[in-house]
Amino acid sequence: MRALVTGFDPFGGGNVNASLEAVRRLPSRIGAIEVATATLPTSYARALAVLDEAIVRAGPRIVLCVGQAGDRAVPCVERVAINVQDARTPDNDGAQPVDLPVIAGGPPAYFSTLPIKAAVAALHAGGVPAEVSNSAGTFVCNHVFYGLMHLAATRMRAIRGGFLHVPALPGIGAHHGSAPPVSLDDIVRGIGIVLTVTASNLSEIDRTAAATR
Ligand code: PCA
């Protein structure tokens, strides 16, 4: 079983992206899962082509895209990607789309096909604070999440996938309020936990996918 995990390059004037730091530290194997990784540019125009290529190269059953959300205190397993691009700040190419679709004519939204509740429960059991999130925003992360789920609904139907937002690293643009900061080690371990719980639920996830088609 192969999984592809992606992180984003730094954006918005930062020089570190917690998602990329975590993805770089993943081992190449977690139990029975072979882990491939890729770096996506924080660019509306370029990110999905890089993701597509990485998927074709790795041939994964599971794709987990990871991005940094500086306003989150804990890792958030995203539930839904929406067909909207609406940027408050420019991406790394200076693009700042307003109220545009990710894919013209695409459905309004796609749900993650990761077991989001089981993933959060497994993260808690592993000592990693986590939550389900009902919005991945409207910046490049949501764009990539929507594009991934569109691929998985059309050309690449064996893929089960979703998105994980992680907090900024302690001391690097993090806004954690009173919560204890989540360490890079916890984020790395958390990604492994999400992959493991997805892999172990795959036959049930496939049955659900078949029943809803
Ligand atoms: N976070 C941004 C894009 C890249 C990243 O790591 C987002 O949440 O949209």
Side-chain angles (χ1 to χ4, degrees):
M1 150 103 53
R2 200 158 314 137
L4 172 68
V5 186
T6 67
F8 282 99
D9 63 3
F11 66 102
N15 48 23
V16 176
N17 187 318
S19 68
L20 189 56
E21 297 306 313
V23 165
R24 280 190 178 142
R25 285 166 175 77
L26 287 173
S28 57
R29 176 174 284 278
I30 299 173
I33 307 167
E34 269 177 63
V35 181
T37 62
T39 304
L40 304 185
T42 302
S43 155
Y44 284 105
R46 294 180 287 125
L48 285 175
V50 176
L51 176 65
D52 197 315
E53 248 174 59
I55 292 174
V56 169
R57 204 176 331 116
R61 274 285 270 140
I62 301 169
V63 180
L64 177 64
C65 295
V66 186
Q68 171 179 304
D71 57 350
R72 312 281 178 96
V74 301
C76 291
V77 186
E78 297 292 349
R79 188 194 298 269
V80 59
I82 61 175
N83 195 10
V84 175
Q85 307 180 118
D86 192 42
R88 251 182 303 142
T89 54
D91 72 6
N92 286 355
D93 298 333
Q96 197 168 355
V98 174
D99 292 346
L100 292 177
V102 179
I103 294 175
Y110 285 110
F111 288 120
S112 172
T113 49
L114 302 181
I116 57 173
K117 290 293 175 67
V120 168
L123 287 162
H124 290 172
V128 180
E131 287 170 11
V132 167
S133 159
N134 295 309
S135 173
T138 53
F139 194 46
V140 181
C141 287
N142 172 76
H143 170 90
V144 159
F145 183 16
Y146 186 93
L148 165 66
M149 299 321 296
H150 188 74
L151 275 180
T154 54
R155 262 177 51 217
M156 300 175 172
R157 294 175 76 120
I159 288 177
R160 305 295 171 247
F163 200 95
L164 181 73
H165 259 128
V166 299
L169 295 178
I172 310 180
H175 304 287
H176 291 126
S178 57
V182 178
S183 69
L184 181 56
D185 280 356
D186 277 350
I187 294 173
V188 174
R189 212 157 50 76
I191 292 171
I193 290 171
V194 173
L195 296 179
T196 301
V197 73
T198 302
S200 64
N201 280 280
L202 215 45
S203 44
E204 200 189 317
I205 297 168
D206 286 346
R207 266 199 303 280
T208 311
T212 54
R213 247 169 211 162

